[in-house]
Amino acid sequence: MEHGAVRGIAFDLYGTLIDVNGVQEACGTVAQDPAAFTSLWRQKQLEYTFLRGLMGRYEDFWQVTEASLRYTLKRFSLQATERDRRRLMEAWLHLPPFPDVMATLPKLQGYALAVLSNGSPPMLEGVLANSGLTPSFRWVLSADAAKIYKPSPKVYALGPEGMGLPKEAILFVSSNAFDVAGAKAFGFPVCWLNRAGVPLDELGLEPDMMVRSFGELLPALER
Amino acid sequence: MEHGAVRGIAFDLYGTLIDVNGVQEACGTVAQDPAAFTSLWRQKQLEYTFLRGLMGRYEDFWQVTEASLRYTLKRFSLQATERDRRRLMEAWLHLPPFPDVMATLPKLQGYALAVLSNGSPPMLEGVLANSGLTPSFRWVLSADAAKIYKPSPKVYALGPEGMGLPKEAILFVSSNAFDVAGAKAFGFPVCWLNRAGVPLDELGLEPDMMVRSFGELLPALER
């Protein structure tokens, strides 16, 4: 990869800039094991985006997140009031950014920065505003415009379209291995932010670079 | 659903007719926790079919199963020789049918019976022959002909095409909730064989009937 060719950076949001484990606190009031509850909720949320994509039955990410919450409550045989459910859903609008994101984003302002996420426009707007990240990004691009989810190439195509740059000039950064594969298949140069230190998925698609924390991104780009 | 209209039955294979937990025995020689190993292997196998479908990067189910095995070995930090890996893969050709399948299939011969599976043609041929199921099915239909996986409607369309029946006349039977949703979205009447007794996924698609064991299928059809 020729790093010098990178003029813009498109970031995945959930798990990359924003810590989805932040919903655990809200889950603590309904679930005995908030970590297991959060993990299944997130797993089903992603699974439903994949399945809806393959079935050609798009629903926006707020609806998918609500549906996966309903499933998770049933699976754990938990009762939740309408008010509980609303509070759990609203936790998605108040997820915290990872600390290394806040420290590093100001140093990346020499690049055109975008968010490119599965989240619906109101979800993205809410969580970015509440976390103080809104001013860092020139573009906030939602899969909702493509009416399908990652890793469909239609979603990644929103990057070059929205940012007015060729895909070769946009570095795509994600912590999610399936997203790394999808972005690479589309044709972006890709950086895998492997926070969890897990093996790469065996999809025959490798990122151009891998870092373990957000802070390593700028040195890796300048290398 | 008008049961009288059903003239053929198309069955999912893995988890429905055939017990995928049968690979656990083979995994016991490489993994300390064969149940956890098998569970991750199966989870990744399915995830890779979804992701490859969305990325438009089809590889056949044998290759996907090998790739998900490689990932699972890495994730558990396990060494495996080439011979170990071959033995683990060959376990997919020797999976046992569920006992209730063997007892019930002869009673369903008044219907035109088919298998409609993600498995590649050699995988399907192998496991059906080794389990003694080959003579029970007039058609063995593989997603390989559609070059994409369930729940894409292109896979389910192989049913009416291959069986020469309208989709309304084919009951689709699966234990896998995502497969129930996909078949229903396509337009089959669907029976969910809910062996595990888990809640229905929240995809807005409900089966026409649910049974808990294969033996309940015929009484449910005749009801």
Side-chain angles (χ1 to χ4, degrees):
Chain A
M1 177 190 162
E2 298 171 39
H3 300 166
V6 170
R7 289 153 59 199
I9 309 179
F11 295 94
D12 170 53
L13 184 71
Y14 300 111
T16 300
L17 299 173
I18 291 284
D19 188 358
V20 292
N21 286 319
V23 295
Q24 270 192 43
E25 201 182 309
C27 294
T29 55
V30 294
Q32 285 199 321
D33 184 343
F37 187 93
T38 304
S39 171
L40 183 63
W41 187 4
R42 172 73 171 151
Q43 181 195 318
K44 282 287 164 178
Q45 181 195 44
L46 283 177
E47 188 187 319
Y48 289 2
T49 62
F50 301 153
L51 296 176
R52 286 194 168 275
L54 286 166
M55 293 192 292
R57 297 211 163 200
Y58 180 80
E59 253 190 0
D60 81 22
F61 202 61
W62 183 260
Q63 291 170 297
V64 163
T65 303
E66 277 185 325
S68 51
L69 172 59
R70 285 197 302 277
Y71 179 85
T72 306
L73 287 166
K74 285 197 299 181
R75 186 63 178 269
F76 282 92
S77 305
L78 293 169
Q79 301 295 326
T81 62
E82 182 51 42
R83 202 179 146 195
D84 286 334
R85 265 190 291 229
R86 209 165 49 231
R87 200 175 38 76
L88 288 169
M89 284 301 299
E90 278 168 10
W92 286 88
L93 306 179
H94 296 273
L95 292 170
F98 288 100
D100 57 0
V101 168
M102 299 310 279
T104 301
L105 273 181
K107 302 178 190 157
L108 294 171
Q109 297 296 324
Y111 296 92
L113 303 186
V115 165
L116 175 48
S117 167
N118 275 343
S120 65
M123 287 176 88
L124 298 180
E125 199 180 312
V127 74
L128 290 169
N130 292 327
S131 61
L133 289 178
T134 307
S136 299
F137 299 100
R138 185 151 158 211
W139 300 276
V140 178
L141 306 168
S142 164
D144 193 61
K147 298 284 182 271
I148 192 166
Y149 290 104
K150 300 175 181 178
S152 165
K154 291 179 189 161
V155 179
Y156 301 106
L158 299 172
E161 279 167 38
M163 297 168 77
L165 288 170
K167 60 186 174 183
E168 300 78 14
I170 302 170
L171 180 72
F172 186 80
V173 180
S174 181
S175 295
N176 296 299
F178 77 88
D179 197 16
V180 166
K184 194 66 206 163
F186 172 70
F188 280 133
V190 176
C191 175
W192 183 25
L193 173 51
N194 184 11
R195 293 188 188 276
V198 292
L200 186 68
D201 268 291
E202 293 279 338
L203 291 161
L205 293 154
E206 303 218 348
D208 300 274
M209 52 168 100
M210 184 186 90
V211 296
R212 293 293 311 271
S213 72
F214 211 88
E216 293 172 35
L217 185 56
L218 189 59
L221 266 171
E222 289 175 342
R223 202 172 292 147
Chain B
M1 179 190 159
E2 299 171 38
H3 300 164
V6 170
R7 289 153 60 197
I9 309 179
F11 295 93
D12 171 52
L13 185 72
Y14 301 111
T16 301
L17 299 173
I18 292 284
D19 187 358
V20 293
N21 287 319
V23 297
Q24 271 193 42
E25 201 182 306
C27 295
T29 55
V30 294
Q32 285 198 320
D33 184 343
F37 187 92
T38 304
S39 172
L40 183 63
W41 187 3
R42 173 71 171 154
Q43 181 194 318
K44 282 287 164 180
Q45 181 194 46
L46 284 177
E47 187 186 320
Y48 289 2
T49 62
F50 301 153
L51 297 175
R52 286 193 168 276
L54 286 167
M55 293 192 293
R57 297 213 162 200
Y58 181 80
E59 255 191 356
D60 81 23
F61 202 61
W62 184 260
Q63 292 170 298
V64 164
T65 304
E66 277 184 326
S68 50
L69 172 59
R70 286 198 302 277
Y71 179 86
T72 306
L73 287 165
K74 284 197 298 181
R75 185 65 178 269
F76 281 94
S77 304
L78 293 170
Q79 300 296 325
T81 63
E82 181 51 40
R83 204 180 144 196
D84 285 334
R85 265 190 290 228
R86 208 165 48 231
R87 201 174 37 75
L88 287 170
M89 285 300 298
E90 278 169 10
W92 286 89
L93 306 179
H94 296 272
L95 292 171
F98 289 101
D100 56 1
V101 168
M102 300 309 278
T104 301
L105 273 180
K107 301 177 191 159
L108 295 171
Q109 297 296 323
Y111 297 93
L113 302 186
V115 166
L116 176 48
S117 166
N118 274 343
S120 66
M123 288 176 89
L124 297 181
E125 200 180 312
V127 76
L128 289 170
N130 292 328
S131 61
L133 288 178
T134 308
S136 299
F137 298 99
R138 185 152 160 209
W139 300 277
V140 178
L141 306 168
S142 164
D144 194 61
K147 297 285 183 271
I148 191 165
Y149 290 104
K150 298 173 181 178
S152 165
K154 291 179 188 163
V155 178
Y156 301 106
L158 299 172
E161 279 168 38
M163 297 168 77
L165 288 171
K167 61 186 174 183
E168 298 78 12
I170 302 171
L171 180 72
F172 186 81
V173 180
S174 180
S175 295
N176 296 299
F178 77 88
D179 198 14
V180 166
K184 195 66 206 162
F186 171 69
F188 281 134
V190 176
C191 175
W192 182 26
L193 173 50
N194 184 10
R195 293 188 187 277
V198 292
L200 186 68
D201 269 291
E202 292 280 336
L203 291 160
L205 293 154
E206 302 217 349
D208 300 274
M209 52 169 102
M210 184 186 92
V211 296
R212 292 294 310 270
S213 73
F214 212 87
E216 293 171 36
L217 185 56
L218 190 59
L221 265 170
E222 290 175 343
R223 203 172 293 146

